């Protein structure tokens, strides 16, 4: 029973995380390609807001995907107690994603390159993002 109730909840969280990612990525595209303003403060705000929102959505999405992978592995191994733990820990994806995004902002506080009037799309990832995504990928592959 736990597995049948858990998977739809995971899908809702994944859909929400992907929606946040899509909005952030869409804002980034608009900022990069269509917003041409001489006001660097507006460009700075749009650049940083869109990249941070997209980064948060990407991290939350990856965390939910890892949880889905672990749930499938636990189901395959018939470990129902682990599924109960996953069910209660699923909402923790959001504060963890926010925390990791905040760490990223502290590492790279400015994604806007004023000299070039450009938005650096790689700035929000930094080393913490690379480690998280690599670890999530390895864990997902290991669970399958």
């Amino acid at each position: 029973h736990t597995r049948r109730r858990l998977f739809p909840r995971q899908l809702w969280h994944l859909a929400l995380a992907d929606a946040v990612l899509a909005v952030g990525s869409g804002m980034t595209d608009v900022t990069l390609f269509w917003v041409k303003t001489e006001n660097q403060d507006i460009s700075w705000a749009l650049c940083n807001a869109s990249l941070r929102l997209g980064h948060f959505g990407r991290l939350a999405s990856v965390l939910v995907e890892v949880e889905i992978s672990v749930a499938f592995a636990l189901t395959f191994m018939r470990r129902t107690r682990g599924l109960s733990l996953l069910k209660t820990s699923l909402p923790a994806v959001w504060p963890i994603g926010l925390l990791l995004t905040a760490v990223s902002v502290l590492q790279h506080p400015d994604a806007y390159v004023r000299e070039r009037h450009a938005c650096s799309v790689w700035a929000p990832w930094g080393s913490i993002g690379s480690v998280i995504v690599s670890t999530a990928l390895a864990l997902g592959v290991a669970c399958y």
Side-chain angles (χ1 to χ4, degrees):
H1 288 310
T2 303
R3 179 69 202 144
R4 282 182 279 184
R5 289 188 305 259
L6 178 61
F7 190 59
R9 286 184 62 195
Q10 289 170 325
L11 289 180
W12 276 107
H13 282 271
L14 182 60
L16 183 58
D18 287 346
V20 171
L21 172 60
V23 168
S25 296
M27 285 175 57
T28 300
D29 290 343
V30 168
T31 302
L32 287 172
F33 300 111
W34 288 317
V35 176
K36 303 293 183 202
T37 177
E38 291 301 316
N39 187 340
Q40 288 195 8
D41 292 334
I42 292 172
S43 297
W44 176 86
L46 285 171
C47 172
N48 281 298
S50 64
L51 286 173
R52 303 315 176 180
L53 184 64
H55 183 63
F56 170 63
R58 187 172 290 117
L59 285 172
S61 181
V62 166
L63 291 170
V64 173
E65 289 166 2
V66 167
E67 183 157 312
I68 290 171
S69 297
V70 170
F72 275 116
L74 289 172
T75 300
F76 181 74
M77 295 183 298
R78 300 186 190 281
R79 304 278 190 224
T80 56
R81 282 200 301 200
L83 292 174
S84 298
L85 177 65
L86 283 180
K87 185 177 180 181
T88 58
S89 68
L90 183 60
V93 163
W94 301 102
I96 291 170
L98 279 175
L99 177 67
L100 293 173
T101 302
V103 168
S104 172
V105 170
L106 291 175
Q107 284 183 336
H108 303 280
D110 196 3
Y112 185 71
V113 183
R114 292 184 186 273
E115 298 81 33
R116 294 186 334 200
H117 300 276
C119 199
S120 172
V121 295
W122 296 108
W125 278 102
S127 58
I128 188 87
S130 300
V131 169
I132 295 299
V133 170
S134 299
T135 303
L137 180 63
L139 184 58
V141 168
C143 286
Y144 284 115

